[in-house]
Amino acid sequence: LGLSGPPGAGKSTFIECFGKMLTERGHKVSVLAVDPSSSTSGGSLLGDKTRMTELSRDMNAYIRPSPTRGTLGGVTRTTNEVILLCEGGGYNVVLVETVGVGQSEFAVADMVDMFILLLPPAGGDELQGIKRGIIEMADLVAINKADGDLIVPARRIQAEYVSAMKLLRKRSKVWRPKV
């Protein structure tokens, strides 16, 4: 599964909860967390693993943070090969967390079985902020943090995305993207 979304959407938190659920059900889970590299120093914080403390201690989970090192598309130059290595190593679920969201951070969509766009419910003009290219590639749009005071905004953005998705050309004859 490939996951992308704007900063603050809760990608790492979602992956930790989902990953723990999967390992509790007997799956071996690999998480490939891609972080942006600095154009100045070339360095990367690689902080996503620190936000997945429980999953990082799970013996049936493997978390590998990786810097982009200038690669565009939200993944690294070798993400596809690392996915294959994880599968070969016995991990039956591989979760790829991309750098974030924009016009071109969906290269992972061609590497995975399902591409999920994770969105927060109250980020301003959501449809304008997320570019059409990534929406067209999404197999699933998940509105995260949809509880408490955010239930009403979450339902509103869900309705907006359901309407927007109807205007897009279908990528598959058998799957219609869900929101």
Side-chain angles (χ1 to χ4, degrees):
L1 302 173
L3 291 112
S4 192
K11 295 181 296 290
S12 295
T13 303
F14 174 83
I15 288 171
E16 178 166 55
C17 292
F18 187 56
K20 287 296 293 174
M21 181 198 74
L22 290 168
T23 60
E24 288 167 5
R25 293 182 180 186
H27 294 281
K28 287 191 70 178
V29 177
S30 177
V31 178
L32 307 177
V34 182
D35 281 344
S37 296
S38 166
S39 58
T40 305
S41 69
S44 219
L45 292 177
L46 304 178
D48 288 320
K49 186 173 181 175
T50 63
R51 284 186 241 129
M52 300 180 210
T53 54
E54 286 184 45
L55 191 59
S56 67
R57 290 189 293 249
D58 191 317
M59 295 306 293
N60 288 315
Y62 168 69
I63 302 173
R64 183 173 197 281
S66 301
T68 58
R69 291 191 180 110
T71 302
L72 300 177
V75 293
T76 72
R77 189 176 40 80
T78 59
T79 297
N80 201 42
E81 289 83 357
V82 176
I83 290 170
L84 295 173
L85 284 170
C86 290
E87 290 173 341
Y91 293 93
N92 62 340
V93 178
V94 179
L95 305 172
V96 182
E97 179 182 358
T98 70
V99 165
V101 72
Q103 279 184 284
S104 62
E105 284 76 19
F106 54 79
V108 73
D110 292 329
M111 301 175 189
V112 296
D113 296 319
M114 177 174 263
F115 178 54
I116 301 167
L117 178 59
L118 199 63
L119 300 173
D125 189 355
E126 286 84 0
L127 284 174
Q128 189 60 25
I130 307 299
K131 303 300 182 190
R132 180 177 177 134
I134 199 165
I135 297 170
E136 290 175 324
M137 300 304 290
D139 297 306
L140 177 70
V141 176
I143 312 302
N144 200 18
K145 302 181 180 185
D147 58 354
D149 292 342
L150 296 176
I151 291 173
V152 172
R155 288 191 178 135
R156 180 183 47 76
I157 191 166
Q158 178 187 17
E160 288 177 10
Y161 272 88
V162 166
S163 294
M165 301 285 271
K166 289 177 185 173
L167 302 174
L168 302 177
R169 189 170 31 133
K170 295 177 188 161
R171 285 184 28 193
S172 167
K173 293 179 182 179
V174 295
W175 176 256
R176 169 163 258 166
K178 308 285 184 216
V179 179

